[in-house]
Amino acid sequence: MNFDQERLEKQMAFIREIDKEKQIFRQSYVTDGTRKENDAEHAWHMAIMTFLLSEYANEEIDVLKTIRMILIHDIVEIDAGDTYAYDDSAKATQHEREERAANRLFGMLPEDQAKDLRALWDEFEAGETKEARFARTMDNVQPLLLNDATGGKAWEEHDVPLSKIMKRNERTAKGSETLWEYSRDNLIKKNVAEGHIIPDMDL
Protein backbone atom coordinates (compact mmCIF):
# COMPACT_ATOMS: atom_id res chain seq x y z
CA MET A 1 0.00 0.00 0.00
CA ASN A 2 1.35 3.39 -0.99
CA PHE A 3 0.76 6.27 1.38
CA ASP A 4 2.48 9.43 2.56
CA GLN A 5 4.34 8.36 5.71
CA GLU A 6 5.09 11.94 6.80
CA ARG A 7 1.43 12.95 6.43
CA LEU A 8 0.23 10.02 8.51
CA GLU A 9 2.85 10.66 11.20
CA LYS A 10 1.65 14.28 11.51
CA GLN A 11 -1.95 13.13 11.80
CA MET A 12 -1.08 10.54 14.44
CA ALA A 13 0.95 13.08 16.42
CA PHE A 14 -2.01 15.48 16.43
CA ILE A 15 -4.38 12.70 17.50
CA ARG A 16 -2.08 11.82 20.41
CA GLU A 17 -1.74 15.48 21.37
CA ILE A 18 -5.47 16.18 21.52
CA ASP A 19 -5.93 13.37 24.04
CA LYS A 20 -4.72 16.03 26.50
CA GLU A 21 -8.13 17.68 26.13
CA LYS A 22 -9.43 14.99 28.49
CA GLN A 23 -7.30 16.58 31.23
CA ILE A 24 -8.63 20.13 30.83
CA PHE A 25 -11.36 20.52 33.44
CA ARG A 26 -14.12 23.10 33.23
CA GLN A 27 -16.12 24.69 36.04
CA SER A 28 -19.40 22.94 35.17
CA TYR A 29 -20.14 19.72 37.03
CA VAL A 30 -21.39 16.49 35.46
CA THR A 31 -25.08 15.93 36.17
CA ASP A 32 -24.62 13.95 39.40
CA GLY A 33 -22.47 16.76 40.81
CA THR A 34 -19.59 14.48 41.81
CA ARG A 35 -16.90 16.07 39.65
CA LYS A 36 -16.28 18.72 37.03
CA GLU A 37 -16.55 17.83 33.36
CA ASN A 38 -13.56 17.97 31.05
CA ASP A 39 -13.29 19.66 27.66
CA ALA A 40 -13.60 16.42 25.69
CA GLU A 41 -16.83 15.54 27.51
CA HIS A 42 -18.13 19.05 26.89
CA ALA A 43 -17.45 18.79 23.14
CA TRP A 44 -18.98 15.29 22.92
CA HIS A 45 -22.11 16.46 24.74
CA MET A 46 -22.49 19.49 22.46
CA ALA A 47 -21.98 17.38 19.33
CA ILE A 48 -24.88 15.10 20.28
CA MET A 49 -26.98 18.12 21.24
CA THR A 50 -26.34 19.57 17.79
CA PHE A 51 -27.81 16.71 15.79
CA LEU A 52 -30.70 16.29 18.24
CA LEU A 53 -31.59 19.99 18.44
CA SER A 54 -30.65 21.31 14.98
CA GLU A 55 -34.34 21.47 14.06
CA TYR A 56 -34.59 24.49 16.40
CA ALA A 57 -31.90 26.52 14.62
CA ASN A 58 -33.12 29.88 13.35
CA GLU A 59 -31.85 28.90 9.90
CA GLU A 60 -31.20 25.51 8.34
CA ILE A 61 -27.61 24.57 9.14
CA ASP A 62 -25.01 22.15 7.85
CA VAL A 63 -25.16 19.80 10.83
CA LEU A 64 -21.93 17.93 10.06
CA LYS A 65 -19.99 21.18 9.66
CA THR A 66 -21.40 22.44 12.95
CA ILE A 67 -20.45 19.21 14.74
CA ARG A 68 -16.92 19.38 13.32
CA MET A 69 -16.67 22.97 14.57
CA ILE A 70 -17.87 21.99 18.03
CA LEU A 71 -15.51 19.03 18.31
CA ILE A 72 -12.44 21.22 17.74
CA HIS A 73 -13.56 24.51 19.32
CA ASP A 74 -11.86 23.96 22.70
CA ILE A 75 -8.76 22.05 21.55
CA VAL A 76 -6.80 25.28 22.07
CA GLU A 77 -7.37 24.94 25.80
CA ILE A 78 -4.74 22.19 25.84
CA ASP A 79 -2.23 25.06 25.82
CA ALA A 80 -4.37 28.02 26.87
CA GLY A 81 -6.26 26.38 29.73
CA ASP A 82 -9.97 26.72 30.42
CA THR A 83 -11.20 30.28 30.76
CA TYR A 84 -14.24 30.36 33.04
CA ALA A 85 -17.07 32.31 31.46
CA TYR A 86 -17.43 34.57 34.50
CA ASP A 87 -13.73 35.20 35.22
CA ASP A 88 -13.17 38.72 33.87
CA SER A 89 -9.42 38.82 34.54
CA ALA A 90 -8.79 35.54 32.70
CA LYS A 91 -10.98 36.62 29.80
CA ALA A 92 -8.77 39.68 29.30
CA THR A 93 -5.90 37.45 28.10
CA GLN A 94 -8.00 34.67 26.56
CA HIS A 95 -7.74 35.72 22.90
CA GLU A 96 -3.95 36.02 22.94
CA ARG A 97 -3.48 32.69 24.73
CA GLU A 98 -5.84 30.85 22.43
CA GLU A 99 -4.37 32.33 19.23
CA ARG A 100 -0.93 31.05 20.19
CA ALA A 101 -2.40 27.65 20.99
CA ALA A 102 -4.28 27.49 17.68
CA ASN A 103 -1.09 28.25 15.77
CA ARG A 104 0.79 25.44 17.49
CA LEU A 105 -1.86 22.75 17.65
CA PHE A 106 -3.43 23.06 14.21
CA GLY A 107 0.07 23.63 12.83
CA MET A 108 0.92 20.05 13.77
CA LEU A 109 -1.31 18.73 10.98
CA PRO A 110 -0.61 18.41 7.25
CA GLU A 111 -1.08 21.82 5.63
CA ASP A 112 -4.50 21.16 4.05
CA GLN A 113 -5.99 19.84 7.30
CA ALA A 114 -4.29 22.54 9.35
CA LYS A 115 -5.94 25.22 7.19
CA ASP A 116 -9.31 23.46 7.31
CA LEU A 117 -9.45 23.07 11.08
CA ARG A 118 -8.00 26.51 11.73
CA ALA A 119 -10.66 28.03 9.46
CA LEU A 120 -13.38 26.18 11.37
CA TRP A 121 -11.96 27.39 14.68
CA ASP A 122 -11.76 30.98 13.41
CA GLU A 123 -15.34 30.72 12.14
CA PHE A 124 -16.55 29.58 15.56
CA GLU A 125 -14.66 32.38 17.28
CA ALA A 126 -16.12 35.02 14.96
CA GLY A 127 -19.64 33.67 15.48
CA GLU A 128 -21.00 35.22 12.29
CA THR A 129 -22.10 32.27 10.11
CA LYS A 130 -25.33 30.37 10.77
CA GLU A 131 -23.33 27.28 11.80
CA ALA A 132 -21.13 29.28 14.15
CA ARG A 133 -24.13 31.00 15.69
CA PHE A 134 -25.78 27.66 16.41
CA ALA A 135 -22.53 26.17 17.72
CA ARG A 136 -22.18 29.06 20.14
CA THR A 137 -25.79 28.58 21.21
CA MET A 138 -24.90 24.98 22.07
CA ASP A 139 -21.83 26.22 23.94
CA ASN A 140 -24.05 28.45 26.07
CA VAL A 141 -27.01 26.13 26.59
CA GLN A 142 -24.97 23.06 27.60
CA PRO A 143 -23.54 24.58 30.82
CA LEU A 144 -26.97 25.99 31.68
CA LEU A 145 -28.34 22.45 31.53
CA LEU A 146 -25.54 21.12 33.74
CA ASN A 147 -25.90 23.90 36.26
CA ASP A 148 -29.62 23.28 36.47
CA ALA A 149 -29.08 19.52 36.87
CA THR A 150 -26.72 20.11 39.82
CA GLY A 151 -28.83 22.67 41.62
CA GLY A 152 -26.70 25.56 40.42
CA LYS A 153 -23.58 24.09 42.00
CA ALA A 154 -20.99 25.97 39.92
CA TRP A 155 -23.01 29.20 40.00
CA GLU A 156 -23.17 29.05 43.79
CA GLU A 157 -19.47 28.24 44.14
CA HIS A 158 -18.56 31.37 42.16
CA ASP A 159 -21.38 33.63 43.43
CA VAL A 160 -22.52 34.25 39.85
CA PRO A 161 -25.14 37.01 39.54
CA LEU A 162 -27.99 36.96 37.04
CA SER A 163 -26.55 39.95 35.17
CA LYS A 164 -23.41 37.99 34.24
CA ILE A 165 -25.44 35.00 33.05
CA MET A 166 -27.60 37.26 30.89
CA LYS A 167 -24.50 39.01 29.51
CA ARG A 168 -22.93 35.64 28.69
CA ASN A 169 -26.12 34.67 26.85
CA GLU A 170 -26.80 37.91 25.01
CA ARG A 171 -26.14 36.18 21.65
CA THR A 172 -27.64 32.77 22.43
CA ALA A 173 -30.87 33.57 20.61
CA LYS A 174 -28.95 34.35 17.42
CA GLY A 175 -28.50 30.61 16.87
CA SER A 176 -31.88 29.52 18.18
CA GLU A 177 -34.58 31.74 19.60
CA THR A 178 -36.49 28.62 20.68
CA LEU A 179 -33.60 27.17 22.68
CA TRP A 180 -32.82 30.53 24.26
CA GLU A 181 -36.42 31.05 25.35
CA TYR A 182 -36.53 27.53 26.76
CA SER A 183 -33.26 28.06 28.63
CA ARG A 184 -34.30 31.44 30.02
CA ASP A 185 -37.75 30.30 31.13
CA ASN A 186 -36.95 26.77 32.34
CA LEU A 187 -33.33 26.92 33.50
CA ILE A 188 -32.36 30.47 34.45
CA LYS A 189 -35.64 31.70 35.95
CA LYS A 190 -36.01 28.46 37.88
CA ASN A 191 -32.58 28.79 39.47
CA VAL A 192 -33.16 32.43 40.36
CA ALA A 193 -36.38 31.40 42.11
CA GLU A 194 -34.59 28.59 43.93
CA GLY A 195 -31.82 30.90 45.14
CA HIS A 196 -28.95 29.41 43.11
CA ILE A 197 -28.37 32.61 41.09
CA ILE A 198 -27.93 36.04 42.69
CA PRO A 199 -30.89 38.16 41.45
CA ASP A 200 -29.15 41.49 40.78
CA MET A 201 -31.48 42.53 37.94
CA ASP A 202 -35.01 41.95 36.69
CA LEU A 203 -35.58 39.09 34.30
Side-chain angles (χ1 to χ4, degrees), residues 107-162:
M108 295 176 67
L109 284 163
E111 185 176 358
D112 60 320
Q113 292 182 325
K115 287 181 178 179
D116 176 42
L117 293 195
R118 177 58 189 264
L120 274 177
W121 184 78
D122 286 336
E123 184 176 338
F124 176 87
E125 289 297 302
E128 298 298 331
T129 65
K130 58 187 181 180
E131 286 81 16
R133 288 193 292 270
F134 192 76
R136 292 173 75 91
T137 295
M138 295 295 92
D139 200 26
N140 290 345
V141 170
Q142 191 261 359
L144 294 177
L145 286 166
L146 294 186
N147 267 289
D148 176 63
T150 58
K153 189 169 183 176
W155 286 329
E156 289 189 344
E157 281 186 357
H158 296 277
D159 294 321
V160 179
L162 177 59

Side-chain angles (χ1 to χ4, degrees), residues 25-28 36 77 81-92 94 97-98 143 147 152-161 164-165 168:
F25 286 89
R26 296 166 48 80
Q27 293 303 309
S28 298
K36 294 177 179 178
E77 294 187 358
D82 176 59
T83 302
Y84 184 45
Y86 306 113
D87 184 342
D88 293 335
S89 61
K91 288 181 76 67
Q94 181 179 6
R97 287 183 283 112
E98 292 188 350
N147 267 289
K153 189 169 183 176
W155 286 329
E156 289 189 344
E157 281 186 357
H158 296 277
D159 294 321
V160 179
K164 284 196 171 185
I165 294 171
R168 161 78 174 172

Side-chain angles (χ1 to χ4, degrees), residues 28-95:
S28 298
Y29 285 84
V30 296
T31 53
D32 69 358
T34 57
R35 64 172 179 83
K36 294 177 179 178
E37 69 167 350
N38 65 49
D39 271 356
E41 292 167 328
H42 170 63
W44 161 83
H45 207 186
M46 288 171 57
I48 293 179
M49 287 171 62
T50 297
F51 70 74
L52 291 177
L53 302 176
S54 60
E55 64 192 87
Y56 304 109
N58 292 340
E59 307 168 80
E60 186 173 348
I61 60 169
D62 181 332
V63 174
L64 179 57
K65 178 184 177 182
T66 309
I67 289 173
R68 291 177 67 232
M69 190 182 295
I70 280 168
L71 287 174
I72 60 98
H73 84 287
D74 274 343
I75 282 175
V76 294
E77 294 187 358
I78 290 168
D79 287 0
D82 176 59
T83 302
Y84 184 45
Y86 306 113
D87 184 342
D88 293 335
S89 61
K91 288 181 76 67
T93 63
Q94 181 179 6
H95 179 74

